[in-house]
């Protein structure tokens, strides 16, 4: 735990130093979007074609705050998703739950390449269950906030040829996997050794790629990919992959249709690919590209 706190201190000092260099004419680029989607279906008790009444609620938030002064840059991103589903005759259930924070401090070495140090955090807000695991219909707790939680630091080089695409290559990327809830630990370990609440992977590499662009008029595609490689487990099956994608089509200023999907392959969690997907019509509020001086 002392090593983790020390790593937090190093990142904090780096961020503080960067902030101290900001002058009166510093330029920030900030973007923000938040949306709520509601899906509902209703059937009478004598509806012969079959079906079940249901209501689903999904919310999402995406924000960025990017600073640049000369060759120095500091990029910050927040992505949050949360959703609930209620089918008639069943208890309310969670449909999607994700927290992702990313901060990167970079220094340009050419027009397209930067050296950087970064930190990112991945977890969820609330408890998650595997439902109806036995004949009695009992549920099994398999996740919670910080169970698992992933904190990854990275040092490397970034290729950014344009504003909408970037590729980070990190040959040194230590990661800490947290398992804070003992009730979750009794059912799922997420690679954390028995008797411990934190797994530390010091010798590892990471690859990250982002793409965020309007591919058509009023249609935006955002992709975030992350690959994590533990040098001590160099095997195709042991390389972690994560892909988050969002396709948003604006109907008007506030109404939008969006398709969101997450794909995860992590051998410590499951030997198969995990995925979730949601399609919704809802309200989207955005502020993009505004500049503060």
């Amino acid at each position: 735990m002392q090593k983790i706190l020390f790593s937090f201190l190093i990142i904090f000092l780096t961020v503080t130093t960067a902030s101290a260099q900001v002058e009166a004419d510093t330029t920030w680029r900030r973007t923000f979007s938040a949306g709520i989607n509601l899906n509902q279906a209703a059937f009478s008790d004598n509806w012969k074609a079959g079906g079940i009444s249901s209501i689903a609620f999904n919310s999402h938030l995406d924000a960025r705050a990017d600073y640049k002064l000369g060759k120095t840059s500091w990029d910050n991103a927040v992505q949050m998703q949360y959703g609930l589903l209620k089918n008639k005759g069943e208890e309310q259930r969670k449909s999607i739950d994700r927290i992702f924070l990313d901060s990167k401090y970079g220094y340009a070495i050419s027009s397209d390449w930067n050296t950087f140090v970064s930190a990112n955090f991945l977890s969820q807000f609330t408890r998650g269950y595997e439902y109806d695991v036995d004949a009695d219909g009992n549920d099994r707790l398999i996740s919670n906030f910080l169970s698992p939680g992933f904190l990854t630091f990275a040092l490397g080089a970034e290729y950014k040829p344009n504003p909408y695409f970037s590729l980070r290559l990190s040959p040194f990327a230590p990661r800490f996997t947290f398992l804070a809830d003992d009730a979750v630990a009794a059912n799922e370990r997420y690679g954390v050794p028995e008797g411990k609440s934190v797994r530390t992977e010091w010798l590892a590499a990471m690859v990250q790629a982002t793409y965020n662009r309007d591919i058509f008029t009023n249609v935006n595609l955002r992709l975030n990919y992350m690959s994590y490689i533990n040098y001590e487990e160099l095997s195709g099956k042991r390389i972690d992959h994560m892909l988050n994608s969002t396709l948003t089509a604006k109907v008007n200023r506030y109404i939008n249709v969006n398709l969101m999907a997450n794909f995860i392959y992590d051998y410590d969690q499951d030997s198969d690919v995990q995925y979730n997907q949601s399609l919704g019509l809802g309200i989207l509020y955005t502020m993009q590209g505004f500049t503060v001086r």
Side-chain angles (χ1 to χ4, degrees):
M1 185 60 69
Q2 291 180 343
K3 293 180 179 179
I4 298 174
L5 294 175
F6 177 75
S7 299
F8 268 122
L9 179 61
I10 293 298
I11 294 297
F12 176 78
L13 291 175
T14 300
V15 169
T16 303
T17 301
S19 299
Q21 295 174 352
V22 178
E23 300 176 359
D25 61 348
T26 296
T27 298
W28 285 85
R29 295 284 293 180
R30 303 174 182 177
T31 63
F32 174 88
S33 67
I36 298 176
N37 300 323
L38 183 66
N39 299 307
Q40 182 266 342
F43 302 87
S44 64
D45 293 336
N46 62 341
W47 183 257
K48 303 303 181 184
I52 184 171
S53 298
S54 65
I55 185 168
F57 162 85
N58 288 325
S59 61
H60 60 93
L61 181 149
D62 294 280
R64 291 195 62 89
D66 298 339
Y67 154 70
K68 185 173 178 60
L69 180 64
K71 294 184 176 182
T72 301
S73 62
W74 182 26
D75 300 336
N76 303 276
V78 177
Q79 297 173 13
M80 299 182 179
Q81 298 173 328
Y82 190 77
L84 296 171
L85 171 67
K86 177 67 171 67
N87 289 326
K88 183 179 179 180
E90 296 180 349
E91 294 293 329
Q92 178 178 277
R93 298 181 176 184
K94 184 170 63 174
S95 58
I96 191 170
D97 191 355
R98 183 172 184 266
I99 303 172
F100 180 73
L101 311 175
D102 184 83
S103 183
K104 175 183 65 70
Y105 181 75
Y107 185 82
I109 56 177
S110 74
S111 59
D112 297 337
W113 286 90
N114 304 307
T115 57
F116 75 89
V117 58
S118 71
N120 68 61
F121 172 76
L122 177 66
S123 190
Q124 59 185 30
F125 289 99
T126 61
R127 292 185 172 188
Y129 295 88
E130 183 179 2
Y131 295 100
D132 303 327
V133 296
D134 56 29
D136 296 327
N138 295 316
D139 303 331
R140 187 166 70 107
L141 180 66
I142 56 174
S143 61
N144 202 352
F145 178 69
L146 280 180
S147 297
F150 303 95
L151 177 64
T152 308
F153 299 102
L155 176 67
E158 178 188 39
Y159 175 62
K160 193 170 184 179
N162 50 58
Y164 53 83
F165 174 79
S166 70
L167 174 66
R168 300 186 201 174
L169 305 174
S170 309
F172 178 65
R175 180 172 70 176
F176 304 91
T177 303
F178 301 93
L179 193 54
D181 191 329
D182 292 336
V184 173
N187 300 319
E188 295 285 345
R189 298 299 310 181
Y190 298 99
V192 178
E194 291 285 346
K196 294 187 177 182
S197 58
V198 180
R199 178 191 182 189
T200 303
E201 299 170 90
W202 286 108
L203 299 177
M206 185 167 63
V207 177
Q208 292 175 266
T210 62
Y211 182 88
N212 188 344
R213 189 181 189 186
D214 289 342
I215 55 176
F216 303 109
T217 303
N218 293 327
V219 178
N220 178 266
L221 175 64
R222 192 196 69 217
L223 300 171
N224 294 285
Y225 170 77
M226 183 185 300
S227 177
Y228 192 78
I229 306 161
N230 188 325
Y231 292 132
E232 298 177 334
E233 299 176 348
L234 283 179
S235 166
K237 289 186 177 181
R238 292 289 184 174
I239 298 175
D240 299 340
H241 302 274
M242 183 185 72
L243 175 65
N244 169 259
S245 61
T246 303
L247 182 66
T248 303
K250 294 183 65 176
V251 178
N252 57 37
R253 183 176 179 181
Y254 296 110
I255 304 299
N256 79 101
V257 177
N258 67 68
L259 175 65
M260 293 185 289
N262 295 291
F263 298 86
I264 298 174
Y265 177 79
D266 186 337
Y267 193 84
D268 292 319
Q269 299 184 25
D270 198 290
S271 58
D272 294 325
V273 175
Q274 307 172 56
Y275 71 92
N276 64 43
Q277 172 268 323
S278 65
L279 174 65
L281 172 68
I283 298 173
L284 178 69
Y285 177 75
T286 63
M287 293 186 295
Q288 297 184 358
F290 63 93
T291 303
V292 177
R293 287 187 181 273

